Amino acid sequence: MKTRITELLGIRYPIVQGGMMWVGRAELAAAVSNAGALGTITALTQPTPEALRKEIGRVRAMTDQPFAVNLTILPTIKPVPYDEYVQAIVENGVKIVETAGRNPEPYMPVFKSAGIKVIHKCTSVRHALKAEALGCDAVSVDGFECAGHPGEDDVPNLILLPAAAAKLRIPMLASGGIADARGMVAALALGADGINMGTRFMATREAPIHENVKRRLVEHDERDTALIFRTLKNTSRIFRNSVAEKVLELEYKEGATFADLKPLVSGERGKRMYETGDTEDGTFPAGLAIGLIEDIPTCAELVSRMIAEARALIHGQLAALAHEN
Ligand SMILES: Cc1cc2nc3c(=O)[nH]c(=O)nc-3n(C[C@H](O)[C@H](O)[C@H](O)COP(=O)(O)O)c2cc1C
């Protein structure tokens, strides 16, 4: 299944696992890459640039296939030494970086001079075009369905992807709301060159998080996410648990500020939740795709099933529609 994305990234299938705070560790990234897709470790999951160097080494010990490092540039509670994380990426010979959060302009010269392919993840046509103008090699366009930060425009992928495809020249990944072959084939029809998934990859055997979190994704459906931080213009789509409900109540009834909400949404609390499996103890991102997750396969099972079903869909149902009579 060759597309501009498989050619650009040197991968077998046009499927990418997006960066995921606390979840995107070497075990998951290597399993995804070994399955023929692109695995990604998340730089800021590592507490220091030195720890990121070690994590890159751990991925290499588990796969000889291409993998990426996600660098999320968002306002954080504690200041992050971004330059040092970038140095760790470049000096360790990483070949693919996924940037997100803010435009990657300050780091483009160093990435480009190291021959790194940059995929910028963004949530609007204008930001995708800006990434193209900055020299990014591809964009990952995240629709309103996505886990994490969908932006403030609220445009779902049925509209956003073809609108972006009409204007972009560089390859585009469709991101947000995809969990199976149907979403993948639809995204390709809408003009994408491949897909990016987060939530679906959380519910895999190799995702290094407590089983309870994975089970919640299977048990719950597409109505069980919440959009927090809307009142702060920093919307985040998360799993709808009692902590998410509390955040919404404070935002909408009491006009809470970020400082008021911080104790509920802190990264440390989220990290602990993934370790203990107490899914009412913190918040975690999850997309509308939870409505489509019914099992916890290995990454290899997931990827090969999606590819087999995509082929069947294209050659079967869709090909049948193309016959004139
Ligand atoms: C648990 C989790 C953590 C995430 N953390 C990050 C992150 O740190 N940086 C980032 O750029 N995207 C992050 N994302 C977003 C994903 O990379 C991806 O864009 C998104 O999940 C796509 O939507 P989907 O979940 O519907 O597939 C996260 C997603 C999840 C589910």
Side-chain angles (χ1 to χ4, degrees):
M1 204 178 265
K2 259 194 208 169
T3 70
R4 293 193 296 167
I5 279 291
T6 59
E7 301 279 287
L8 176 74
L9 306 177
I11 53 177
R12 198 153 165 217
Y13 304 123
I15 299 178
V16 173
Q17 168 245 319
M20 286 187 274
M21 192 65 184
W22 307 128
V23 184
R25 299 176 188 269
E27 288 76 9
L28 177 62
V32 173
S33 291
N34 284 331
L38 185 77
T40 304
I41 56 168
T42 304
L44 302 190
T45 293
Q46 301 305 320
T48 61
E50 195 41 45
L52 176 59
R53 286 171 204 269
K54 291 204 183 105
E55 194 70 359
I56 292 168
R58 290 209 314 123
V59 182
R60 288 224 169 89
M62 289 186 253
T63 186
D64 58 0
Q65 297 300 305
F67 64 92
V69 176
N70 165 284
L71 185 71
T72 304
I73 315 160
L74 280 173
T76 46
I77 297 170
K78 270 191 264 161
V80 172
Y82 279 109
D83 291 348
E84 291 169 40
Y85 277 96
V86 167
Q87 232 179 323
I89 290 169
V90 171
E91 287 173 7
N92 283 272
V94 169
K95 300 275 182 288
I96 306 167
V97 167
E98 177 195 55
T99 56
R102 226 180 42 205
N103 100 45
E105 190 164 16
Y107 307 112
M108 285 306 283
V110 51
F111 286 147
K112 288 286 97 185
S113 63
I116 292 175
K117 302 270 190 292
V118 179
I119 307 169
H120 183 60
K121 189 163 59 194
C122 52
T123 59
S124 70
V125 177
R126 64 190 186 284
H127 291 147
L129 290 172
K130 173 78 181 173
E132 180 177 270
L134 289 175
C136 291
D137 300 276
V139 282
S140 197
V141 172
D142 240 341
F144 187 50
E145 302 90 335
C146 74
H149 294 271
E152 310 303 320
D153 293 346
D154 303 357
V155 184
N157 271 337
L158 210 51
I159 307 300
L160 186 59
L161 295 173
K167 296 209 167 130
L168 282 167
R169 288 186 308 268
I170 55 174
M172 174 177 81
L173 288 161
S175 180
I178 303 171
D180 59 29
R182 294 166 299 181
M184 177 171 165
V185 172
L188 295 172
L190 291 168
D193 301 283
I195 60 158
N196 180 63
M197 301 191 296
T199 307
R200 175 65 269 201
F201 277 117
M202 281 178 94
T204 57
R205 295 251 288 279
E206 295 92 344
I209 56 176
H210 200 284
E211 282 300 309
N212 288 354
V213 181
K214 302 179 191 181
R215 253 184 257 133
R216 289 296 98 80
L217 298 178
V218 173
E219 290 159 1
H220 287 258
D221 69 26
E222 63 280 2
R223 295 165 304 167
D224 294 323
T225 72
L227 291 168
I228 62 164
F229 299 165
R230 292 237 94 173
T231 60
L232 308 174
K233 298 236 176 317
N234 185 22
T235 301
S236 183
R237 189 184 291 282
I238 62 173
F239 183 73
R240 185 183 282 274
N241 59 9
S242 55
V243 186
E245 299 279 7
K246 184 74 196 161
V247 171
L248 290 175
E249 187 186 316
L250 292 173
E251 268 193 85
Y252 289 98
K253 290 208 184 123
E254 297 178 24
T257 63
F258 184 70
D260 302 326
L261 302 172
K262 202 169 100 179
L264 292 170
V265 299
S266 80
E268 283 312 310
R269 209 165 151 170
K271 179 170 178 249
R272 189 174 69 207
M273 186 275 314
Y274 286 128
E275 287 161 4
T276 62
D278 179 356
T279 55
E280 297 301 315
D281 186 35
T283 58
F284 63 97
L288 299 180
I290 54 177
L292 304 173
I293 296 174
E294 307 290 345
D295 62 356
I296 305 170
T298 64
C299 291
E301 283 162 357
L302 175 63
V303 170
S304 61
R305 178 169 78 200
M306 284 183 70
I307 295 299
E309 289 181 2
R311 286 186 174 133
L313 200 52
I314 295 165
H315 290 304
Q317 252 168 285
L318 297 179
L321 292 174
H323 292 305
E324 292 213 348
N325 279 306

